[in-house]
Amino acid sequence: KLSMNFIAFDFETANAKRSSACSLALSVVRDGQIVDELYSLIDPQTNFSSFNTKIHGITAKDVANAPTFAELWPHISSFFTPDQLVVAHNAPFDCSVLNKTLATYGLATPSFMVLDTVKTSKQFYQDLPDHKLNTVCDSLGIDLKHHHNALFDSHACAEILLHQVKEFGPTKLKPFVRQYNK
């Protein structure tokens, strides 16, 4: 059965490179409730593109005193284990950012179970004009206060999955769970 224990996560990047994570958030769900959240700016040790800054509002000045991903990883790596379900809205993007950023620092990519709420939303809400985070949140009545702020995005992603489990049951979601980096 799909347990109601999972981690929702979201990255924002400094530029078009997937290895340029400049913020990360984790929303920890236990027994169907968000019980903890972590948000951190990250010094990507690379340049910021004006395009990305326009989307999320994070600048090089904002991350000047932030940890690098290599410094942050020991504090969060325990959330990425083979038996842990990790959820993201557009998981291929967030998993790729994780993978490329870890590779930049010569750190091993962990194995974990992953579920993409874009895929589940496309399956369950076929009548929506698109399946962007804000569109899905609007249709489900989830308050997404600051789209493209990693903390609000990871929180909204967690709420989407909790809503889908309630509405469709864990059995309907099970086929969407994949092993990442087996």
Side-chain angles (χ1 to χ4, degrees), residues 23-115:
S23 75
L24 166 68
L26 304 173
S27 295
V28 181
V29 176
R30 293 285 170 255
D31 301 320
Q33 299 287 316
I34 296 172
V35 294
D36 202 6
E37 294 190 299
L38 172 140
Y39 174 79
S40 182
L41 289 171
I42 298 167
D43 178 355
Q45 301 184 297
T46 188
N47 64 309
F48 277 75
S49 83
S50 56
F51 178 80
N52 289 48
T53 294
K54 199 167 139 185
I55 290 171
H56 53 57
I58 301 168
T59 65
K61 192 184 250 177
D62 295 328
V63 301
N65 297 313
T68 64
F69 192 77
E71 293 166 333
L72 182 61
W73 183 240
H75 302 283
I76 61 169
S77 60
S78 64
F79 292 110
F80 298 87
T81 60
D83 57 348
Q84 178 64 63
L85 179 60
V86 177
V87 180
H89 199 77
N90 191 11
F93 171 80
D94 294 288
C95 288
S96 169
V97 172
L98 177 65
N99 202 1
K100 300 280 191 213
T101 305
L102 285 166
T104 296
Y105 293 101
L107 299 165
T109 304
S111 176
F112 51 88
M113 293 181 297
V114 67
L115 182 147

